[in-house]
Amino acid sequence: KESEQRIATAVYNHNVAGLDLKRLIEGEGPLKLAQFSDELDKSDLELKHYEAYEVDLRALEKEGIANPVELGRINEKIRVLKDKYRSAKRRYDSYEKYVLPVMIESGRAKVKNTELAIEQVKQSSVHKIANAEAISQQARGQLKAVRLSLTKAENELKKTVIRAPQSGLLIHYEAFRSGEMRTPREGDTVIVNQPIMYLPDISSLAIKSQVRETDLYKIKVGQKATVLVDAYPEDRFEGELEFVGALAKKQTNMGSGEKYFQVVFSLTNGNDHLRPGMSAQIIVHIASLRDTLTIPIQSVFRDQGGDYCYLWNSVMHEKRYFTIGQQNEDFVEIKKGLEAGEIVSLVQPENVQ
């Protein structure tokens, strides 16, 4: 009776192993493979859609209808989709060529082992050694599967470790996440090749700013500038204009809708106290004048006849036209029309000759 129970148990195990193998071959395995295939097809279809869109944009560009912003966005989207497609392809190939075959082979080995177990039970004590060997073989197969799972888990764990290429100042990368511009937080989803943080080279710093469209004619690449950093008001740094943007951007946050161009200045004498993200004021050296006649900019008025001021002639104010040269926020250079020592009014007087 004990032998019958052992045989029944062995047959039951064999049937279970066969059902498990059949489920893997005909059910779970193909279903999982189909899921990976659908994911791959979806990635391929989406990639082809945006590549076709890029082709249309290129065609419109040749016809004179250029949209560089949209083209740049589509190129970035295509780059992300290509990475997504390659990732889906790797998952599909890995499961089809390695994971699923190993699982099927393991299932077949289990079925085979149960068959051997049945024979071993039937032969009982005659084949105890063979029975022990079968159990040992089954254990080795299970150990192999466990080691494969452990290796896979260790490889996945290694991918979660971020290693810096060198020591330095670490800054979180700010980007659009969940509809807002911010740095990454715990729990955020990270896609392939998405920047998370960076180590800036603070030995060479640059200052990004903007210049009004109406002042664009005053600047050019190579001009010198004085940089005042809010964090260190006593220090003065030397800068040089390196880049002037080609496209104006309208700013409507202040209600004026004035257009600005992006400019970049390089620092020629920075120090270790400066850090990325600091606020600074830039004074551009447009021109330097010596021994020239100037008047306060508040005293300059303008009408259809040109620029003029109100000159005090010891009795009343006289309206005097003149020719101006260079100017800044405080003074205007006088080319012709006024003499040194003459007195001008900063406001419009009531008694005018």
Side-chain angles (χ1 to χ4, degrees):
K1 187 174 181 180
E2 180 181 357
S3 299
E4 293 177 355
Q5 292 177 347
R6 294 177 62 187
I7 293 173
T9 302
V11 171
Y12 173 80
N13 292 336
H14 175 68
N15 293 336
V16 170
L19 291 174
D20 289 340
L21 179 60
K22 184 176 181 180
R23 181 185 61 186
L24 180 63
I25 295 176
E26 301 178 3
E28 291 182 358
L31 180 60
K32 190 71 173 179
L33 191 63
Q35 291 176 350
F36 285 134
S37 179
D38 292 342
E39 181 183 356
L40 182 62
D41 294 339
K42 183 179 179 181
S43 300
D44 182 53
L45 183 62
E46 190 176 6
L47 176 60
K48 289 180 179 178
H49 171 73
Y50 278 93
E51 287 178 340
Y53 186 29
E54 183 194 24
V55 172
D56 294 339
L57 289 178
R58 295 291 186 186
L60 291 174
E61 186 178 28
K62 292 181 179 181
E63 296 175 5
I65 306 175
N67 191 342
V69 174
E70 180 68 8
L71 186 59
R73 186 184 73 82
I74 292 302
N75 288 332
E76 178 65 18
K77 184 68 175 179
I78 290 175
R79 185 184 66 79
V80 172
L81 290 176
K82 285 183 178 180
D83 293 338
K84 182 179 179 183
Y85 174 80
R86 287 192 290 267
S87 179
K89 185 69 166 60
R90 286 194 298 270
R91 287 193 294 271
Y92 177 85
D93 292 341
S94 176
Y95 188 81
E96 180 188 35
K97 296 178 181 179
Y98 306 106
V99 178
L100 183 57
V102 170
M103 295 173 64
I104 292 175
E105 190 63 27
S106 178
R108 288 172 176 169
K110 189 174 181 179
V111 172
K112 185 64 176 178
N113 288 335
T114 56
E115 292 176 353
L116 293 175
I118 294 174
E119 293 298 326
Q120 291 168 357
V121 171
K122 289 181 178 179
Q123 296 177 11
S124 188
S125 59
V126 178
H127 300 289
K128 286 183 178 180
I129 297 177
N131 184 41
E133 179 63 26
I135 295 175
S136 176
Q137 183 179 356
Q138 183 180 6
R140 286 195 295 270
Q142 293 175 348
L143 178 61
K144 182 178 179 181
V146 171
R147 286 176 175 173
L148 288 175
S149 300
L150 178 61
T151 301
K152 181 180 179 181
E154 289 175 345
N155 292 334
E156 293 296 329
L157 181 61
K158 290 179 181 179
K159 296 178 182 179
T160 63
V161 178
I162 302 175
R163 302 185 183 277
Q166 72 275 343
S167 60
L169 178 65
L170 180 65
I171 298 179
H172 286 93
Y173 190 86
E174 189 175 26
F176 274 101
R177 304 174 188 272
S178 302
E180 60 177 328
M181 194 72 174
R182 61 174 176 83
T183 56
R185 302 172 185 168
E186 183 178 355
D188 284 343
T189 301
V190 180
I191 62 176
V192 178
N193 294 327
Q194 181 183 23
I196 301 177
M197 56 191 71
Y198 63 98
L199 283 76
D201 181 11
I202 60 176
S203 63
S204 177
L205 296 177
I207 304 174
K208 293 182 179 180
S209 185
Q210 298 179 99
V211 63
R212 291 179 300 183
E213 182 182 20
T214 54
D215 294 329
L216 187 62
Y217 73 96
K218 299 179 183 179
I219 64 172
K220 60 182 178 180
V221 174
Q223 280 180 326
K224 302 298 180 180
T226 299
V227 180
L228 310 177
V229 180
D230 295 350
Y232 306 102
E234 301 299 327
D235 294 338
R236 297 291 185 272
F237 302 96
E238 297 177 0
E240 182 177 326
L241 181 58
E242 284 195 349
F243 171 79
V244 178
L247 183 64
K249 295 184 178 180
K250 182 181 292 186
Q251 292 191 353
T252 57
N253 54 345
M254 300 300 294
S256 61
E258 193 170 9
K259 293 183 179 180
Y260 288 81
F261 285 83
Q262 183 183 10
V263 291
V264 177
F265 291 83
S266 63
L267 280 178
T268 57
N269 66 332
N271 57 36
D272 296 337
H273 299 297
L274 299 180
R275 292 291 183 271
M278 284 185 169
S279 300
Q281 178 183 357
I282 304 172
I283 303 174
V284 183
H285 303 166
I286 297 176
S288 179
L289 304 177
R290 294 182 180 274
D291 300 327
T292 184
L293 180 62
T294 63
I295 62 173
I297 195 169
Q298 297 95 328
S299 63
V300 179
F301 301 89
R302 179 173 296 175
D303 59 15
Q304 295 180 352
D307 298 307
Y308 66 91
C309 69
Y310 293 103
L311 186 67
W312 178 251
N313 60 9
S314 300
V315 178
M316 61 177 54
H317 288 89
E318 170 190 349
K319 186 176 181 180
R320 176 78 64 83
Y321 287 93
F322 52 80
T323 304
I324 66 173
Q326 298 285 347
Q327 67 181 60
N328 58 19
E329 296 180 352
D330 300 314
F331 297 97
V332 175
E333 178 190 12
I334 304 301
K335 290 288 189 179
K336 183 173 64 174
L338 294 178
E339 299 293 337
E342 292 182 312
I343 302 175
V344 296
S345 174
L346 297 179
V347 297
Q348 186 172 2
E350 296 181 357
N351 56 336
V352 181
Q353 183 179 359

